[in-house]
Amino acid sequence: AQSVTQLGSHVSVSEGALVLLRCNYSSSVPPYLFWYVQYPNQGLQLLLKYTSAATLVKGINGFEAEFKKSETSFHLTKPSAHMSDAAEYFCAVSDVTSGSRLTFGEGTQLTVNP
Amino acid sequence: NAGVMQNPRHLVRRRGQEARLRCSPMKGHSHVYWYRQLPEEGLKFMVYLQKENIIDESGMPKERFSAEFPKEGPSILRIQQVVRGDSAAYFCASSPPGTGAVGYGYTFGSGTRLTVV
């Protein structure tokens, strides 16, 4: 069975600072990994995904994530936070045993301070 | 090019009533997925449907919940005899034909927020 752990339910950064949101996964077979963003009272928007191609994945809004198999991690980063990045971020995993079904982490609420 | 449309956005039901949540996938999409988000939690998979077929309902509660995706019209998630614990945000997602396989990051709607009073 798969699982996703997002370390830190709340992360607070200053505007212009580095954003680092942590995600560790568990999967018995090669995973497919996703980051989604959710703004208040809205649905989830796909930021980026890893599907066994390049380990460094670039997404929308300046975000990127690096797949590290040895660490079973897929952390999300952005060099410089913007006020508009304040939202909740979800890491998700799927694999060939789960098909199109995604397993989500609990989410990380990102606050950006002026 | 409308995205995944869900309605209503907000739904209030009294305990024991039925709740019907509708999802219209993106144009050309034939796969629909329903997820539930309880307060302070991540999304949990409920069911995966294609037109007129339930493909995977491993996340659906055994009682009171049902889903359909008819040949014509939106997908419907039905909750009978609602209880307070059903209060949650219900999200629908869709993907094009041939993408019901692993690795496709599908598109979510804005959700229906169900409140049971």
Side-chain angles (χ1 to χ4, degrees):
Chain A
Q2 311 150 321
S3 65
V4 174
T5 302
Q6 292 185 239
L7 295 174
S9 58
H10 291 84
V11 170
S12 182
V13 300
S14 298
E15 191 174 16
L18 171 72
V19 176
L20 171 61
L21 304 182
R22 299 178 187 274
C23 171
N24 288 89
Y25 70 90
S26 171
S27 176
S28 57
V29 297
Y32 294 81
L33 294 157
F34 307 80
W35 275 101
Y36 282 86
V37 60
Q38 184 181 30
Y39 297 99
N41 296 316
Q42 294 188 25
L44 277 71
Q45 180 181 7
L46 180 65
L47 274 177
L48 49 80
K49 64 178 180 180
Y50 166 76
T51 57
S52 75
T55 56
L56 181 63
V57 181
K58 293 187 184 299
I60 61 172
N61 301 340
F63 284 93
E64 63 181 36
E66 186 172 8
F67 172 67
K68 291 187 176 181
K69 182 179 178 180
S70 61
E71 298 177 8
T72 61
S73 69
F74 191 57
H75 301 332
L76 182 71
T77 60
K78 182 175 180 177
S80 177
H82 192 273
M83 297 296 289
S84 61
D85 294 327
E88 186 145 26
Y89 292 79
F90 292 94
C91 182
V93 64
S94 69
D95 60 40
V96 291
T97 65
S98 64
S100 54
R101 185 174 70 245
L102 294 178
T103 298
F104 282 86
E106 300 292 316
T108 297
Q109 182 68 48
L110 175 66
T111 301
V112 181
N113 301 307
Chain B
N1 185 18
V4 178
M5 304 300 292
Q6 290 188 249
N7 64 82
R9 289 294 302 274
H10 300 274
L11 181 62
V12 179
R13 285 288 178 265
R14 296 186 182 280
R15 281 177 293 172
Q17 291 184 320
E18 178 178 284
R20 282 190 169 213
L21 288 63
R22 285 177 292 277
C23 169
S24 296
M26 288 183 70
K27 187 176 181 180
H29 285 195
S30 58
H31 302 255
V32 165
Y33 316 82
W34 285 93
Y35 283 76
R36 177 166 63 174
Q37 184 179 30
L38 293 168
E40 307 298 323
E41 293 187 17
L43 278 73
K44 298 287 194 292
F45 170 81
M46 300 182 76
V47 63
Y48 162 35
L49 311 105
Q50 295 178 17
K51 289 280 186 180
E52 300 184 282
N53 281 305
I54 297 174
I55 307 301
D56 180 356
E57 56 180 349
S58 58
M60 286 281 270
K62 294 284 185 267
E63 297 177 348
R64 301 187 298 109
F65 285 72
S66 62
E68 62 177 7
F69 188 19
K71 187 176 180 180
E72 300 292 336
S75 175
I76 305 289
L77 179 68
R78 183 182 292 111
I79 311 171
Q80 296 178 306
Q81 300 176 324
V82 296
V83 300
R84 289 235 171 100
D86 297 333
S87 295
Y90 292 82
F91 290 97
C92 171
S94 73
S95 64
T99 59
V102 61
Y104 187 85
Y106 33 68
T107 302
F108 281 88
S110 296
T112 293
R113 280 146 185 87
L114 172 65
T115 302
V116 179
V117 297

